[in-house]
């Protein structure tokens, strides 16, 4: 009777961090004999909080690193959140600091991922050698996130909320006066008193860049042709401004005070020429409180200036996984050797990770693929045998929405969302399980498994997206190749042999086992620990006899 220490060949949870490494935990329970029905319940639990990294600064290739390492930063800013780049450029203009960098503070994200699959499978023995099966997995994927912003003074951010962003209209008076003042200067520089035109033009050249930058961050639009700050390459609005107590805040205050002093001098000069200039005295308020963790999470949800995604909080799904249908053929059944081949088709019924959830784990690959596997059972002695097998999987291309961004920048803006063609890499796996038969019902095995999957290939469905986004879709190929080795052990109790001999009333088998990922490569290969329990019960549908499953 065939017993192994491996769980059923499962297509269950497939994470964004590792498209295929969570599937296929090994061989299935003994297939049913002719006329028998096998009902299978093979729950599996995966858990991981580390990965085998590649190219991460400060880590050696293949070394274990925290799962959330790409989200952490000593000074969270435009280097990690690329959509802050335009705001940073504007603030460099208004602070007159060409090297100014937005700093939201020290950020740290700890992630714990776990997937629990509860599949239900049925198989029918069509003949002595052939059986067919269907497996329907229900998958619960959960990612626990612990996102922190360091509140220590030395690590706190140097920016706070822009009042015009949090409370629209707060800086309307300032913006209106800037617009009126610059409009008046333009008029006076071309058609005002001749003796003051050069002075007006000089003031416009001096104050214009600063005031137009402040006009934009105060809620104005530099793309409106009616605005005095209209420009072909306008400054960008900013959700954050330097703290009033920071060096950048001091620079803004000094620059604005200088502009208002210059304006007061112009008001006096033009009054002497009989011209009244508009008032320019409204205050420009800088924030006094640094951003917090909640502020950053709120900003990530913003669809205009932020990422247009979800906050870095727990993600939980309970959905259908990728359903599979298989046929198994027993091509050899000798006294000391048994071999069978299984062809499996997996359907795109699972849910991929959502582009809005930057730390999401899906419940399946949601694409069609075909797998062929061979299992060999070689008896070497009275109580010892080796179970060895290999699998080859071909995965077919599909289309889905992805945010096009390098692997090291997982939080990409909504503007980088595009429909892409995804071709997941094909895979190959082997496993070897030396098994000791303790008696006619109990066996123990030690298992080694190796898995290798090629890199995925991404291309744009619409070629225009390449120019719009400014990145090739192939950046999504990064760190999608997967290699790992696992080791583990399992214990099986089966009554199939006793039932066939009339010494058991119910035919069933139970396997419980554990595996751990000892080695991995690829950059996003998780260091996974997994536990499985496989319960298989057998029922006679037609035909005589008490033999229910493949016998060894």
């Amino acid at each position: 009777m065939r017993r192994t220490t491996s769980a059923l060949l499962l297509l269950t949870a497939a994470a964004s961090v590792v498209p295929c490494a969570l599937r296929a935990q090994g061989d299935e329970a003994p297939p049913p004999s002719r006329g028998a029905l096998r009902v299978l319940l093979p729950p599996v639990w995966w858990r991981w909080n580390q990965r085998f990294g590649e190219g991460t600064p400060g880590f050696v290739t293949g070394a274990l690193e925290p799962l959330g390492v790409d989200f952490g930063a000593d000074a969270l800013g435009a280097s990690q959140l690329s959509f802050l780049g335009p705001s940073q450029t504007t603030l460099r203009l208004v602070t007159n600091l060409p090297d100014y960098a937005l700093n939201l503070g020290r950020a740290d994200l700890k992630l714990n991922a776990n997937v629990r699959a509860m599949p239900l499978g049925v198989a029918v023995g069509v003949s002595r050698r052939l059986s067919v099966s269907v497996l329907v997995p229900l998958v619960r994927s959960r990612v626990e996130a612990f996102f922190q912003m360091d509140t220590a003074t030395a690590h706190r951010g140097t920016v706070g909320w822009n009042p015009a962003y949090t409370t629209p209209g707060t800086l309307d008076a300032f913006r209106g006066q800037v617009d009126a003042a610059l409009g008046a200067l333009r008029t006076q520089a071309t058609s005002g008193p001749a003796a003051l035109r050069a002075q007006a033009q000089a003031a416009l050249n001096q104050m214009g860049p600063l005031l137009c930058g402040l006009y934009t961050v105060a809620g104005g639009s530099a793309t409106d042709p009616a605005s005095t700050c209209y420009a072909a390459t306008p400054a960008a609005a900013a959700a954050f401004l330097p703290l009033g107590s920071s060096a950048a805040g001091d620079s803004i205050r000094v620059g604005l005070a200088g502009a208002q002093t210059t304006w007061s001098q112009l008001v006096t000069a033009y009054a002497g020429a009989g011209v009244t200039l508009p008032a320019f005295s409204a205050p420009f308020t800088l924030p006094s409180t640094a951003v917090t963790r909640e502020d950053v999470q709120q900003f990530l949800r913003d669809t205009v200036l932020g990422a247009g995604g979800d906050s870095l909080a727990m993600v939980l799904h309970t959905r259908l996984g990728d359903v599979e249908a298989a046929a198994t053929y027993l091509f050899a059944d000798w006294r000391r050797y048994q071999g069978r081949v299984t062809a499996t088709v997996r359907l795109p019924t699972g849910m991929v990770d959502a582009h809005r959830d930057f730390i999401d784990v899906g419940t399946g690959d949601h694409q069609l693929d075909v797998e062929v596997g061979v299992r060999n059972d070689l008896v070497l002695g009275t109580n010892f045998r080796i179970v060895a097998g290999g699998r080859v999987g071909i995965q077919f291309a599909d289309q889905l929405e992805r945010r096009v961004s390098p692997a090291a920048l997982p939080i990409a803006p909504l503007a980088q969302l595009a429909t892409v063609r995804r071709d997941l890499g094909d895979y190959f796996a082997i496993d070897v399980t030396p098994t000791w038969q303790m008696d006619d019902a109990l066996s123990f095995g030690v298992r080694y498994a190796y898995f290798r999957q090629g890199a995925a290939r991404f291309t744009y469905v619409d070629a225009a997206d390449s120019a719009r986004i400014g990145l090739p879709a192939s950046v999504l190929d990064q760190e999608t190749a997967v290699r790992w080795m696992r080791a583990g052990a399992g214990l099986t109790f089966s009554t199939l042999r006793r039932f066939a001999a009339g010494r058991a009333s119910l035919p069933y088998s139970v396997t419980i086992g554990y595996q751990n990922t000892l080695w991995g490569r690829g950059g996003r290969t998780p260091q996974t620990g997994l536990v499985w329990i496989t319960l298989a019960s057998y029922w006679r549908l037609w035909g005589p006899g008490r033999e229910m499953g493949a016998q060894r």
Side-chain angles (χ1 to χ4, degrees), residues 313-382:
M314 185 185 74
V315 181
L316 175 65
H317 302 294
T318 302
R319 304 284 180 85
L320 188 67
D322 290 335
V323 174
E324 67 177 35
T328 297
Y329 183 74
L330 187 67
F331 62 82
D333 190 15
W334 305 331
R335 189 172 68 88
R336 290 191 172 274
Y337 172 73
Q338 184 183 87
R340 65 180 186 261
V341 59
T342 299
T344 304
V345 176
R346 297 190 182 90
L347 306 177
T349 54
M351 181 194 73
V352 296
D353 55 293
H355 70 81
R356 284 184 54 87
D357 293 319
F358 307 112
I359 57 175
D360 194 16
V361 172
T363 65
D365 280 344
H366 192 73
Q367 48 77 232
L368 180 69
D369 63 320
V370 175
E371 180 182 284
V372 177
V374 177
R375 303 298 297 181
N376 304 278
D377 194 337
L378 180 63
V379 177
L380 299 180
T382 305

Side-chain angles (χ1 to χ4, degrees), residues 270-283:
Y270 273 94
V275 177
T276 302
L277 296 180
F280 178 37
S281 59

Side-chain angles (χ1 to χ4, degrees), residues 45-99:
W45 294 265
W46 293 272
R47 188 174 185 89
W48 69 101
N49 58 19
Q50 297 184 99
R51 69 184 189 187
F52 297 95
E54 182 174 303
T56 304
F59 291 89
V60 178
T61 295
L64 288 175
E65 58 190 34
L67 198 58
V69 65
D70 290 332
F71 298 88
D74 287 335
L76 185 63
S79 297
Q80 297 79 29
L81 308 176
S82 61
F83 45 90
L84 287 176
S87 296
Q88 181 170 273
T89 300
T90 298
L91 293 178
R92 285 177 175 177
L93 171 67
V94 300
T95 61
N96 197 30
L97 300 173
D99 296 326

Side-chain angles (χ1 to χ4, degrees), residues 284-300:
F284 183 87
T285 306
L286 290 171
S288 59
T289 305
V291 294
T292 64
R293 176 191 63 184
E294 291 77 13
D295 293 334
V296 174
Q297 290 177 311
Q298 177 184 338
F299 179 63
L300 292 178

Side-chain angles (χ1 to χ4, degrees), residues 38 180 182 195 208 214 235 298 317 334 349 386 394 410 432 448-449 517 536 548:
R38 184 192 66 194
L182 293 179
L214 293 175
Q298 177 184 338
H317 302 294
W334 305 331
T349 54
I386 294 179
I394 299 174
V432 179
Y448 164 83
T517 307
M548 292 293 188

